[in-house]
């Protein structure tokens, strides 16, 4: 893990989030809220969970404001009430991820934080937490991609090598 890798993964995150927003905007509210059998049920609920997670990790990495505290992952699915609010929050978060990534210079050492879901203090290597942050996003965007496909939307490609390089 290097600062350059963090920046690359941040660019990929924004690219994929923007692609999914474009696909989500072709669906009506009922289609976005339809329980599709995924862990968090719907496209919007899963997208909100990912937004909540990104917001929480950024608060730990960059000192940005934390989302509302929760005691279970199920409480993270209604961070925004509808697609327009989600798009605004997601766009803001993408910018924060990029700003944080562009400022990363050191990836060594521990990260300490309090986990409300586990109700305890945590300490893990910062590099592991950063990798987990990006992996979490990829995992849930994969779920959203599958739900969008099932809804009849053709999302953009997700392969990293297809992303335009600077």
């Amino acid at each position: 893990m290097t600062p350059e890798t963090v920046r690359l993964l941040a660019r990929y995150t924004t690219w994929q989030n923007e692609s999914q927003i474009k696909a989500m905007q072709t669906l009506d509210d009922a289609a976005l809220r339809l329980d599709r059998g995924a862990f968090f049920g719907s496209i919007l609920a899963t997208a909100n969970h990912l937004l909540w997670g990104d917001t929480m990790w950024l608060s730990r990495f960059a000192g940005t404001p934390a989302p509302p505290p929760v005691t279970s992952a199920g409480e993270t699915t209604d961070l925004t009430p509808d697609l327009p609010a989600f798009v605004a929050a997601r766009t803001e978060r993408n910018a924060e991820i990029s700003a944080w990534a562009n400022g990363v210079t050191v990836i060594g050492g521990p990260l300490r934080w309090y986990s409300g879901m586990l109700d305890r203090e945590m300490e893990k290597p910062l590099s592991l937490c950063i990798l987990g942050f990006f992996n979490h996003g990829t995992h849930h965007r994969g779920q959203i991609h599958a739900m969008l496909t099932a809804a009849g939307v053709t999302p953009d490609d997700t392969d990293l090598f297809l992303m335009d390089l600077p």
Side-chain angles (χ1 to χ4, degrees):
M1 174 76 60
T2 66
E4 291 76 23
T5 302
V6 172
R7 286 187 271 287
L8 176 69
L9 292 172
R11 284 188 57 240
Y12 177 78
T13 293
T14 295
W15 177 53
Q16 287 300 299
N17 286 337
E18 288 173 351
S19 170
Q20 290 197 336
I21 286 170
K22 184 174 72 173
M24 290 166 68
Q25 288 173 326
T26 68
L27 298 173
D28 64 21
D29 189 64
L32 290 169
R33 295 177 189 279
L34 180 67
D35 188 335
R36 298 180 183 277
F39 186 82
F40 293 105
S42 72
I43 293 167
L44 187 58
T46 304
N48 267 313
H49 167 75
L50 177 54
L51 178 63
W52 185 94
D54 285 357
T55 305
M56 181 55 77
W57 280 109
L58 274 178
S59 74
R60 296 168 182 159
F61 296 149
T64 56
V70 299
T71 57
S72 76
E75 297 173 40
T76 64
T77 61
D78 59 355
L79 188 62
T80 62
D82 55 29
L83 187 59
F86 171 79
V87 170
R90 179 76 266 174
T91 300
E92 181 180 335
R93 205 68 60 246
N94 289 346
E96 290 173 353
I97 291 169
S98 294
W100 161 73
N102 288 332
V104 168
T105 57
V106 177
I107 301 175
L111 179 68
R112 294 178 186 90
W113 74 95
Y114 175 79
S115 170
M117 284 190 211
L118 298 176
D119 192 26
R120 64 183 166 115
E121 294 291 325
M122 300 289 298
E123 180 178 320
K124 296 289 179 182
L126 176 60
S127 60
L128 177 73
C129 294
I130 292 171
L131 188 57
F133 166 71
F134 288 118
N135 186 64
H136 180 256
T138 298
H139 166 71
H140 287 301
R141 281 191 305 273
Q143 292 175 323
I144 294 167
H145 190 279
M147 288 187 279
L148 287 166
T149 301
V153 177
T154 304
D156 293 336
D157 289 317
T158 60
D159 292 311
L160 181 61
F161 73 89
L162 295 172
M163 182 176 70
D164 290 334
L165 297 175

